[in-house]
Amino acid sequence: MKACESCADRVNIGCHHKQMPVIARAIGLLFIYLPILTLPFVITSAYLTYFSLKLVGAENVKKWGDFLPARASHRYDLKNQITMDGSFKFSMAQSKLFWILNCTWYCPVSVGLFEWHAYLVKVVENWWCPFTHDRKNSYTDGAIDQSFWHIYPEEKAKLHEEDKTNPIFTADPEA
């Protein structure tokens, strides 16, 4: 059995990387960093979503910082950051600063931003749309006390029984 065949639930990347043409890997590297240009738009979208929730009465909404790792939890700092032997003289892999900026800032901040934004959108959907679908169970991290439909008894009565009592959008299913 090949190494990649044993990873059915994982993305297979390490077992193929060295086989990829250098030009493909260079373009792939460029594609990793081009999304930096979109970060201002994603940040704006996330904050607009956050403040829209606050303006309709939401409390206890998580903030971006709740999705970022604590600085002290990073294994390396600029003094002890490990580097790789570069495959050419000016390879960024030889720079401590490259690894610090990449692995302490860009990656965890981006992951945190997109996780926060996804969380906020789940809260919005749970608020406005308390209607079950086959992905709704993955929205539990955006659970709310009551949906927009649940706060109006005459509208709640119109909901399907499962939607009336789903704990993702009603903290008190009996009420």
Side-chain angles (χ1 to χ4, degrees):
M1 180 185 310
K2 294 181 181 176
C4 286
E5 292 173 358
S6 66
C7 309
D9 293 336
R10 295 176 182 257
V11 173
N12 297 325
I13 187 171
C15 60
H16 301 293
H17 179 74
K18 291 180 184 178
Q19 300 162 3
M20 300 302 295
V22 173
I23 189 70
R25 291 185 286 178
I27 292 169
L29 185 63
L30 176 66
F31 286 174
I32 287 171
Y33 295 105
L34 278 177
I36 288 173
L37 301 174
T38 69
L39 287 180
F41 301 103
V42 178
I43 292 167
T44 300
S45 177
Y47 274 106
L48 288 172
T49 306
Y50 176 82
F51 287 116
S52 74
L53 288 166
K54 298 299 276 183
L55 289 168
V56 297
E59 294 181 348
N60 302 321
V61 180
K62 293 179 184 177
K63 296 181 177 154
W64 186 5
D66 296 325
F67 292 85
L68 299 175
R71 178 65 190 105
S73 72
H74 289 274
R75 183 175 313 281
Y76 299 109
D77 58 29
L78 196 54
K79 290 179 183 176
N80 66 356
Q81 176 62 54
I82 60 173
T83 62
M84 297 181 81
D85 296 331
S87 55
F88 57 95
K89 187 174 182 173
F90 297 107
S91 169
M92 293 183 298
Q94 299 171 85
S95 165
K96 288 183 175 190
L97 184 59
F98 168 76
W99 291 109
I100 290 294
L101 291 175
N102 194 51
C103 302
T104 304
W105 189 85
Y106 179 56
C107 289
V109 168
S110 296
V111 169
L113 173 61
F114 283 98
E115 286 182 344
W116 179 51
H117 199 242
Y119 155 79
L120 292 170
V121 173
K122 290 174 185 178
V123 172
V124 167
E125 182 174 336
N126 288 340
W127 166 245
W128 290 112
C129 309
F131 316 123
T132 301
H133 54 68
D134 68 353
R135 299 283 302 154
K136 195 64 101 163
N137 286 340
S138 68
Y139 294 12
T140 56
D141 59 331
I144 60 174
D145 61 342
Q146 299 177 81
S147 80
F148 185 69
W149 286 69
H150 286 83
I151 63 175
Y152 299 102
E154 64 279 6
E155 304 305 332
K156 180 180 176 182
K158 297 174 185 176
L159 292 171
H160 186 280
E161 283 305 312
E162 289 178 10
D163 295 336
K164 287 179 191 175
T165 60
N166 189 322
I168 295 173
F169 28 80
T170 181
D172 185 8
E174 303 305 319

